[in-house]
Amino acid sequence: MESWESWKRVREMEVVPLSNVRRTESPERGLGVRGLSRREFLRLAGVGAGAAAFPGLLAGCGGDQQQGNAPKTKSVEGKLTFWYWGESDAPGANQWMNETVKAYKEKKPDLEITVVPQSTATLISSFQAAASAGQGPDIASQWATGPVLAQVWQDAIAPISDYVPQEEIDQWLNTNENVYNGKLWAMPYYIIGIATAYNKEHYDKAGLHPENPPQTWDDFLATCEELKKSGVTPFSIGNQDGYGGAWHFSNMELQYLNSLQEWVNAMIGRAPFTEERYTGWYERLNFLVQKNYYNESVNSLTLDRGHAIFSRGESAMSFGTDGIVRQWQQDLGQDVVGIMKYPKVAEGNLAKAFNATQSISYFITSWSKNKEEAGAFLQFMHTPERMQRWYELTGVGLADKRFDASLIKDPVLRELYEWETTGSQVWLENYNPPQIDSEANLKAGQLIFSGSGTPQEAAQLWQSVAQRWRTQSPDDLKNWQSWHPEVSGA
Amino acid sequence: MTPASTSEKGPAVRRRERPKRSRLRNAPWTPYLYLLPAAAFIALVFIYPLIEVVRTSLQVPAATGGTSFGFTNYEFMLTDPAFRQAVLHNLILLLSVPIMTVLALLFSLLLWEQMRGWKWYRAFIFTPYILAIPVVGLTFIYLYSADGIVNTALEALGLGFLTRDWLGDPRLVLPSIMSVIIYRELGFGTILFLARMMSIPTELLDAAKTEGANWFQVHRYVTIPQMRSVIEFFVVVEVITMFSWVFAYVYTMTKGGPGFSSMILEFYIWQNAFEFQSPGIASAVAVVLMVAISGLIFLQVRVRRDESGGDAEH
């Protein structure tokens, strides 16, 4: 077996500048010009009109596009409207919310509360339309950090720390994900993390200790090799949508960093992404791919569909969040599925952190006429009986110190919840501006998994996409420059 | 009004109106007045968006909150590897035009020969063209996935060595998308050619057969030359399609991936305009695309005129 060290040495000698790799040449030919007949003119005019229709479409769709989707919802005094999202992460969330509204109305019968479930596909765009119009719900949902702060910087959110007492906020976990300028802008409710799940039966068959999963990079490589020899796919994931690569990014790149500020520094141009500490991990991923440790279908399956491979027992390892691990246990058996933290690949301070996040965050809109009431309702969601009911319905752990973790009976899921709530937690993908995430993070992983790009090209991609973002979004850049994120539990 | 009154008052009225009408009719600006509504419509629908896109392509957001003008978007576009890949892929997609043309000709000839059940075949070939592209795209995702129907069928037939990750392999993704485009667009070409064939005078064909021409010679020297204008029309339409109408295939099937293996110019424009909120870059590419397509058409018209010795315009 070719070792990681020898592979690394060879790869270091093979570095080729991107400009040399992708250069395409087009022959230039001179074109004589002569007059056009009327008929040719008309033909060209017709074609020109057709071609013009394309930019016309672009012009027609630009500018006020978001305004065109502006919602009809308006904040009305004495009436709370909540654009709610949670069901996709935690099936049962919508039922829980209905029950919560009912329970709150028993306390405040005069208050009218309307809950509007939001779809994943339009979660950001719908709220963006509301923010552009300056009107919408009283309480809304966005994914933590990047999406929340984007709305903070658009003045669409009122700081929740102005409407909820500090002693209540002190009970919440991972609040750091939405802190800016010393204020907390959104509320966490549940918490999810990325665990590396493994199939104990496959480990056993390959002669590996089922209770002793690999903790170092070398152990991990040896484990993959043994599993491959035993005839099973060592690691399965889907990356057609780029999220398989993004989950590797969250697990591997995080370990190279000493602080989140270090990551933001690259984003705002204070350090190049091409440095080892930012994109060096692609060498490791590339090594795993070249050794065929992943499922062959990795490039044509989405992350969701990739999960099904582990679920069918066709691979030995995969990434899963709490709900997915629970599903795998149901499919394969509680005794078969084990979890581990991703092996250690680097020595940064954040290598000790676990990949956990509150996922979705709830906040009070800046235009709400019921801010106090909205704050009270959000606080009500964190009462012990509501939290207990949440867990009963969804099986997802709460982002609250008061949650009784003994309710989690399964030892694997309890261990996962412990990882998510003790020590430091960072879901690094939250700290990418959306444009950079989709064009650099998701695409760079695809380059590696599909073999259509090298680790150097992946690094160069991050650099060029970030450069474009800085040029095209100077206002966002200014906000990012003024933001100094911190790690929870650090 | 009675006839009597007409005879009394009519000429007087006509005398008063006639000079006004002729002044209006003879005024030099009158034709332009008639053209004005159409010109205004064209200006609004075609010229305004064009100017707006060119203007946006030159706009660069400034840190002060305003915008400055320059060629930064064009510079970025030209140095972006994704853009270069997109151009290359659009050019590769052009390869499907001759394939489609030849196949459409072949199928239309077979249908024209009125082989048994030809009407059914005609409907069968045309059906994909009336399906919405996203429907076709999604169907082919299920066919072409690594665990999709094509690979499952190959394995069932004992041809497992032929299975591939049709949409996940960067070397195969573009040919796979091309095959879907051909599958859908073929119906259009076939029906177009068939319609033209049906209008070819039978005397020409009979004369050729009388002269001893075989099946191939009849079509090579009589049928196809008769269809030249419609073939040219189809080629032009499909060339434009390969540059500006393949977005829906790529969007539904691969979203430009894996990596940039199936990135095309339209997807690049869409991503920049709506996903990355960089309308300047999107507009710069739209301008380049428009110029490129116009150039291609110009070239095609010139080639045609040169070939026909300047008769094409008559």
Side-chain angles (χ1 to χ4, degrees):
Chain A
M1 171 191 164
E2 187 183 13
S3 75
W4 161 245
E5 286 307 321
S6 66
W7 164 274
K8 204 170 153 220
R9 273 199 300 279
V10 171
R11 297 295 302 158
E12 278 164 0
M13 289 187 285
E14 284 177 354
V15 175
V16 180
L18 185 68
S19 54
N20 293 349
V21 177
R22 288 241 179 88
R23 184 173 297 145
T24 52
E25 293 181 12
S26 55
E28 288 179 14
R29 278 188 185 166
L31 283 175
V33 179
R34 59 176 177 163
L36 293 172
S37 70
R38 178 178 171 274
R39 200 164 158 179
E40 278 176 339
F41 171 77
L42 290 175
R43 198 180 293 148
L44 279 177
V47 169
F54 193 75
L57 175 73
L58 197 67
C61 293
D64 293 340
Q65 186 241 3
Q66 285 164 344
Q67 293 280 352
N69 294 333
K72 289 176 184 162
T73 309
K74 253 184 174 177
S75 177
V76 178
E77 218 165 306
K79 185 182 164 187
L80 273 185
T81 304
F82 191 162
W83 284 5
Y84 180 68
W85 185 93
E87 186 75 14
S88 302
D89 259 355
N94 284 352
Q95 187 192 333
W96 172 85
M97 178 47 80
N98 288 338
E99 290 181 11
T100 302
V101 168
K102 218 169 152 189
Y104 196 66
K105 277 177 75 78
E106 278 171 19
K107 274 180 68 178
K108 297 201 170 183
D110 294 338
L111 182 70
E112 197 182 323
I113 305 175
T114 308
V115 175
V116 185
Q118 299 292 295
S119 86
T120 303
T122 58
L123 183 70
I124 291 179
S125 59
S126 294
F127 189 76
Q128 182 58 46
S132 302
Q135 63 179 45
D138 299 280
I139 309 173
S141 321
Q142 287 291 296
W143 290 295
T145 319
V148 166
L149 293 185
Q151 300 307 332
V152 169
W153 293 327
Q154 282 204 63
D155 297 326
I157 301 182
I160 203 167
S161 48
D162 287 359
Y163 299 95
V164 173
Q166 190 57 45
E167 56 269 26
E168 170 67 23
I169 290 173
D170 287 344
Q171 300 298 319
W172 300 347
L173 296 170
N174 282 37
T175 47
N176 67 299
E177 291 182 54
N178 293 318
V179 170
Y180 175 70
N181 255 355
K183 294 202 178 235
L184 177 65
W185 296 84
M187 179 189 86
Y189 197 65
Y190 55 87
I191 198 160
I192 56 172
I194 306 176
T196 306
Y198 66 98
N199 184 315
K200 292 179 183 175
E201 286 177 353
H202 286 313
Y203 265 52
D204 201 28
K205 248 184 255 173
L208 299 161
H209 197 303
E211 301 303 332
N212 189 20
Q215 291 179 13
T216 66
W217 178 246
D218 289 338
D219 286 350
F220 182 64
L221 295 181
T223 302
C224 287
E225 193 59 27
E226 290 306 316
L227 288 163
K228 193 177 157 192
K229 273 185 204 161
S230 75
V232 69
T233 302
F235 205 104
S236 64
I237 197 97
N239 195 44
Q240 199 253 356
D241 48 11
Y243 285 103
W247 281 22
H248 280 80
F249 159 81
S250 288
N251 274 287
M252 293 167 94
E253 167 54 18
L254 181 66
Q255 300 188 32
Y256 284 77
L257 299 172
N258 288 314
S259 68
L260 284 173
Q261 188 59 50
E262 192 178 359
W263 180 247
V264 171
N265 283 347
M267 212 62 74
I268 60 179
R270 287 190 192 140
F273 272 109
T274 45
E275 285 183 10
E276 162 87 10
R277 60 182 163 150
Y278 295 123
T279 45
W281 68 273
Y282 282 114
E283 286 287 357
R284 295 179 192 270
L285 180 64
N286 194 38
F287 182 75
L288 298 175
V289 171
Q290 297 301 318
K291 297 296 265 180
N292 295 322
Y293 291 154
Y294 291 94
N295 48 305
E296 282 181 1
S297 54
V298 60
N299 295 304
S300 65
L301 298 182
T302 57
L303 185 69
D304 291 351
R305 291 180 66 199
H307 288 143
I309 297 173
F310 187 85
S311 195
R312 293 194 297 265
E314 292 170 5
S315 71
M317 289 183 281
S318 190
F319 286 139
T321 52
D322 306 51
I324 296 164
V325 171
R326 198 161 70 130
Q327 183 63 47
W328 284 339
Q329 284 186 317
Q330 286 166 11
D331 295 338
L332 295 168
Q334 272 189 323
D335 299 338
V336 175
V337 180
I339 56 165
M340 61 182 183
K341 289 181 181 174
Y342 197 77
K344 199 168 182 188
V345 296
E347 300 290 335
N349 288 343
L350 295 186
K352 295 189 279 286
F354 186 65
N355 288 282
T357 179
Q358 60 192 267
S359 183
I360 197 77
S361 309
Y362 304 113
F363 54 83
I364 304 165
T365 56
S366 58
W367 54 77
S368 171
K369 291 178 178 152
N370 309 287
K371 291 189 180 76
E372 301 285 350
E373 197 59 73
F377 180 74
L378 289 173
Q379 208 178 324
F380 178 72
M381 287 165 63
H382 276 267
T383 52
E385 60 275 21
R386 284 291 90 214
M387 290 197 287
Q388 185 174 336
R389 184 62 181 147
W390 166 271
Y391 187 75
E392 284 165 9
L393 284 172
T394 66
V396 177
L398 279 293
D400 194 302
K401 291 172 192 165
R402 295 164 294 191
F403 172 61
D404 180 7
S406 67
L407 288 171
I408 308 173
K409 301 292 178 212
D410 179 83
V412 169
L413 294 175
R414 195 164 54 238
E415 186 181 17
L416 180 52
Y417 184 72
E418 273 171 28
W419 292 347
E420 291 162 355
T421 53
T422 49
S424 314
Q425 295 94 35
V426 179
W427 190 297
L428 194 59
E429 203 182 349
N430 286 353
Y431 297 84
N432 294 336
Q435 297 100 310
I436 296 183
D437 194 55
S438 59
E439 182 69 348
N441 189 16
L442 305 192
K443 287 285 181 189
Q446 287 184 331
L447 289 182
I448 302 298
F449 272 113
S450 65
S452 60
T454 63
Q456 290 74 36
E457 285 174 298
Q460 193 58 49
L461 181 65
W462 274 93
Q463 182 67 7
S464 64
V465 170
Q467 177 60 40
R468 175 179 51 189
W469 172 74
R470 290 193 288 266
T471 311
Q472 296 287 324
S473 314
D475 291 338
D476 286 353
L477 176 63
K478 233 163 44 183
N479 292 322
W480 275 75
Q481 284 167 335
S482 66
W483 180 41
H484 305 288
E486 285 176 11
V487 178
S488 72
Chain B
M1 187 182 283
T2 63
S5 68
T6 307
S7 61
E8 282 169 15
K9 295 177 183 177
V13 172
R14 278 199 296 276
R15 268 199 303 277
R16 279 198 301 273
E17 283 181 350
R18 195 178 289 145
K20 266 190 187 173
R21 273 190 186 171
S22 67
R23 265 206 306 274
L24 185 69
R25 208 174 284 156
N26 295 334
W29 42 264
T30 304
Y32 298 104
L33 193 69
Y34 293 142
L35 281 174
L36 198 61
F41 178 77
I42 289 171
L44 185 73
V45 175
F46 296 119
I47 299 173
Y48 166 72
L50 208 61
I51 294 169
E52 186 60 22
V53 167
V54 172
R55 194 178 68 87
T56 310
S57 75
L58 298 169
Q59 268 182 347
V60 185
T64 51
T67 48
S68 60
F69 283 86
F71 289 95
T72 311
N73 295 322
Y74 288 92
E75 281 167 20
F76 176 85
M77 175 190 83
L78 292 172
T79 54
D80 187 1
F83 171 75
R84 294 201 295 265
Q85 292 250 12
V87 172
L88 180 67
H89 295 157
N90 273 104
L91 292 173
I92 291 172
L93 285 182
L94 281 179
L95 290 175
S96 57
V97 176
I99 298 172
M100 234 181 321
T101 310
V102 170
L103 284 177
L105 262 176
L106 190 68
F107 285 133
S108 56
L109 279 172
L110 291 173
L111 291 173
W112 192 39
E113 297 285 336
Q114 302 204 341
M115 57 198 284
R116 195 183 167 88
W118 72 280
K119 285 184 179 170
W120 286 105
Y121 290 127
R122 184 179 58 182
F124 182 72
I125 289 172
F126 193 64
T127 302
Y129 192 67
I130 59 172
L131 293 175
I133 297 174
V135 174
V136 175
L138 287 174
T139 306
F140 274 87
I141 285 179
Y142 287 105
L143 285 167
Y144 281 164
S145 288
D147 57 354
I149 296 166
V150 169
N151 282 346
T152 309
L154 285 170
E155 271 173 13
L157 293 168
L159 300 169
F161 63 95
L162 288 177
T163 59
R164 295 286 184 278
D165 192 353
W166 304 102
L167 296 175
D169 186 331
R171 291 161 302 178
L172 293 175
V173 64
L174 220 48
S176 300
I177 292 173
M178 268 169 76
S179 72
V180 180
I181 296 172
I182 291 171
Y183 159 79
R184 188 177 175 277
E185 298 287 324
L186 191 61
F188 172 57
T190 306
I191 296 301
L192 195 69
F193 293 165
L194 185 62
R196 176 68 187 95
M197 279 176 192
M198 285 176 159
S199 68
I200 295 175
T202 48
E203 294 86 352
L204 290 174
L205 305 168
D206 292 341
K209 283 175 192 164
T210 310
E211 293 288 332
N214 60 26
W215 185 87
F216 178 78
Q217 286 169 326
V218 167
H219 294 310
R220 166 72 184 83
Y221 296 108
V222 180
T223 314
I224 293 176
Q226 287 289 318
M227 295 179 57
R228 184 174 165 162
S229 60
V230 78
I231 292 173
E232 280 179 356
F233 169 76
F234 179 69
V235 168
V236 169
V237 167
E238 289 306 324
V239 166
I240 295 174
T241 300
M242 292 309 141
F243 274 101
S244 357
W245 290 99
V246 286
F247 171 82
Y249 295 101
V250 170
Y251 183 80
T252 50
M253 292 171 76
T254 62
K255 299 220 167 33
F260 298 101
S261 305
S262 59
M263 176 63 78
I264 51 154
L265 286 168
E266 286 173 277
F267 192 77
Y268 185 85
I269 291 171
W270 174 83
Q271 248 189 347
N272 277 286
F274 302 113
E275 228 178 80
F276 309 146
Q277 288 151 23
S278 303
I281 294 172
S283 300
V285 183
V287 169
V288 168
L289 182 60
M290 187 184 63
V291 170
I293 293 175
S294 303
L296 273 173
I297 303 306
F298 178 79
L299 200 66
Q300 190 267 339
V301 169
R302 279 196 51 137
V303 167
R304 191 180 165 201
R305 192 171 61 177
D306 290 347
E307 278 179 2
S308 58
D311 291 340
E313 63 204 71
H314 300 300

